[in-house]
Amino acid sequence: MPSLTGIPLQIIAALLAIAVFAATMWLWPRLGGRSWRAWTGRIGVFFATQVTVLVALALVANSYFGFFSTWSDLLGLDGGPGTVVDHKPGGKAISVTGEQKMYSPQGSAKEHSGLIQQVRISGGASGLAGKGYVYLPPQYFQPDYASQRFPMALVLSGYPGNAEKLISLLQYPASALKAIQNNQLPPTVLVMMQPTLSGNRDTECMDIPGGPKVETFFTEDLPKAMSDDYRVSDQPGSHAAMGDSTGGYCALKFALRKPDAYGAAASFSGYYSVSTDPTTGDLFGKSAQLKRENDLLWRLKNKPAAPVSLLLATSPNEENYADTQKMVAAFKAPTAMSTITLDSGGHNFHTWTREIPPALEWLGKHLTPPQPVRSA
């Protein structure tokens, strides 16, 4: 079956829509008259034209925005609970399931452009596992950096999201490589994932009472796995999180709630509080305090300031614009706050591609560069 987000299926759908439209134009004169057959024929071809055009447009929109990544995702067949993973002492938490080259003017050799690995990350503390991509910068493979540990940036998509779009549409690895080459960003390992690890449930990156421990996975399991299985620093000053929409909310929350895990966070069109709805289920276990604890504006106003750096990206057209101003007004030292405010821009990939390059340059000022590996 063709991939739901693949170009071949979009081409097939577009050609089918064109063919049905052409057939409608050819048949229309023959369907004149007032008989029930003529009426039925006109309704039938009109309906077929509308359906095929809408399907073609829906496939293109789904591929662009990443609403559903697979047929099972679309049909709701991936809605099972997370999987408990048992680990043996010394066992690796990250398994590499595939690789793809990066291309740049310097060539495709990993020493020049880096390498993207498709991975599965298993968490001991959370009992969850998630799939994603790791981008290793070219310096990771260069002899001069053989004894260096690298900073790490967790990159999260929105919900429902597709980690592949972080590479193909938002072009995080390509943008990071360019920033590294321009000395705007230290050589940094990217970990690109979806923010949900429990089927189709929108967990809002929470440790849900009686449910999946998604926050634990991203703030404890993932940093530990990366430092254990890759040459990634285990220091919070070398860890950042960033993302769009839901991913942006999660990134900010990780930094504010767990500053010992992430020292910096950037949010593109992210929001600052969450509510339960049919996609989330009961997030808070009817606890008003837990809901407040996950309200970022409430945290800035009522909790001791965290020693982290935050970047909020928005525009006057965004729904989060007014709340972003409230966030800026509420923060206090030692939290550091920066913003990107576009003249215009919506909740879409085009807007975020304009915000990512300056955000990476900002990140370069807040990440510790590669450091020598400490001896045991």
Side-chain angles (χ1 to χ4, degrees), residues 288-301:
Q289 179 61 26
L290 184 58
K291 185 174 183 178
R292 284 192 296 269
E293 289 282 343
N294 285 271
D295 184 318
L296 306 187
L297 182 57
W298 182 89
R299 294 192 68 86
L300 288 183
K301 292 180 177 179

Side-chain angles (χ1 to χ4, degrees), residues 219-258:
T219 59
E220 295 182 29
D221 291 334
L222 186 142
K224 184 178 186 304
M226 290 300 297
S227 62
D228 286 349
D229 293 358
Y230 288 94
R231 294 199 320 276
V232 166
S233 172
D234 60 359
Q235 300 302 303
S238 297
H239 295 171
M242 58 200 312
D244 59 82
S245 191
T246 301
Y249 164 75
C250 292
L252 296 176
K253 181 165 68 171
F254 294 158
L256 287 172
R257 283 175 55 86
K258 302 294 178 68

Side-chain angles (χ1 to χ4, degrees), residues 187-209:
T188 301
V189 174
L190 304 183
V191 186
M192 297 164 283
M193 299 185 68
Q194 295 173 287
T196 184
L197 302 171
S198 183
N200 291 329
R201 186 178 183 182
D202 180 10
T203 59
E204 298 291 341
C205 297
M206 281 190 56
D207 282 0
I208 299 173

Side-chain angles (χ1 to χ4, degrees), residues 38-329:
W39 277 100
T40 303
R42 288 197 294 269
I43 292 173
V45 295
F46 179 80
F47 181 76
T49 302
Q50 297 297 310
V51 168
T52 53
V53 169
L54 289 174
V55 167
L57 292 175
L59 287 171
V60 172
N62 179 69
S63 178
Y64 184 81
F65 291 104
F67 296 124
F68 302 99
S69 58
T70 65
W71 291 100
S72 296
D73 190 14
L74 174 65
L75 299 174
L77 302 179
D78 289 335
T83 302
V84 175
V85 180
D86 297 320
H87 299 273
K88 297 180 181 179
K92 283 195 170 186
I94 300 178
S95 57
V96 178
T97 58
E99 292 185 346
Q100 63 185 80
K101 293 182 177 180
M102 280 284 294
Y103 296 91
S104 74
Q106 288 73 32
S108 61
K110 57 187 179 181
E111 295 83 359
H112 300 301
S113 302
L115 182 70
I116 299 173
Q117 294 184 333
Q118 189 170 4
V119 299
R120 184 177 187 274
I121 304 175
S122 303
S126 67
L128 297 174
K131 297 178 181 179
Y133 297 87
V134 170
Y135 170 64
L136 302 171
Q139 289 79 6
Y140 193 90
F141 306 99
Q142 296 173 3
D144 290 347
Y145 289 83
S147 61
Q148 303 277 302
R149 281 192 172 270
F150 290 77
M152 175 194 80
L154 169 64
V155 183
L156 295 174
S157 68
Y159 175 88
N162 185 339
E164 293 177 357
K165 301 305 179 185
L166 299 173
I167 300 172
S168 61
L169 285 180
L170 293 180
Q171 299 184 356
Y172 271 98
S175 296
L177 177 60
K178 184 177 180 180
I180 292 169
Q181 292 172 336
N182 291 337
N183 296 316
Q184 297 171 333
L185 178 73
T188 301
V189 174
L190 304 183
V191 186
M192 297 164 283
M193 299 185 68
Q194 295 173 287
T196 184
L197 302 171
S198 183
N200 291 329
R201 186 178 183 182
D202 180 10
T203 59
E204 298 291 341
C205 297
M206 281 190 56
D207 282 0
I208 299 173
K213 298 180 178 181
V214 179
E215 184 177 44
T216 295
F217 176 88
F218 282 117
T219 59
E220 295 182 29
D221 291 334
L222 186 142
K224 184 178 186 304
M226 290 300 297
S227 62
D228 286 349
D229 293 358
Y230 288 94
R231 294 199 320 276
V232 166
S233 172
D234 60 359
Q235 300 302 303
S238 297
H239 295 171
M242 58 200 312
D244 59 82
S245 191
T246 301
Y249 164 75
C250 292
L252 296 176
K253 181 165 68 171
F254 294 158
L256 287 172
R257 283 175 55 86
K258 302 294 178 68
D260 56 341
Y262 296 95
S267 169
F268 313 113
S269 303
Y271 42 87
Y272 310 112
S273 64
V274 295
S275 301
T276 57
D277 61 38
T279 68
T280 65
D282 182 8
L283 291 174
F284 310 108
K286 305 187 186 306
S287 169
Q289 179 61 26
L290 184 58
K291 185 174 183 178
R292 284 192 296 269
E293 289 282 343
N294 285 271
D295 184 318
L296 306 187
L297 182 57
W298 182 89
R299 294 192 68 86
L300 288 183
K301 292 180 177 179
N302 297 279
K303 288 288 186 177
V308 295
S309 300
L310 308 179
L311 174 64
L312 314 180
T314 186
S315 82
N317 307 109
E318 287 271 26
E319 292 184 3
N320 75 340
Y321 181 75
D323 286 338
T324 298
Q325 313 313 309
K326 295 178 183 177
M327 291 281 289
V328 173

Side-chain angles (χ1 to χ4, degrees), residues 26-32 38:
W26 183 71
L27 289 172
W28 198 261
R30 301 176 179 227
L31 298 174

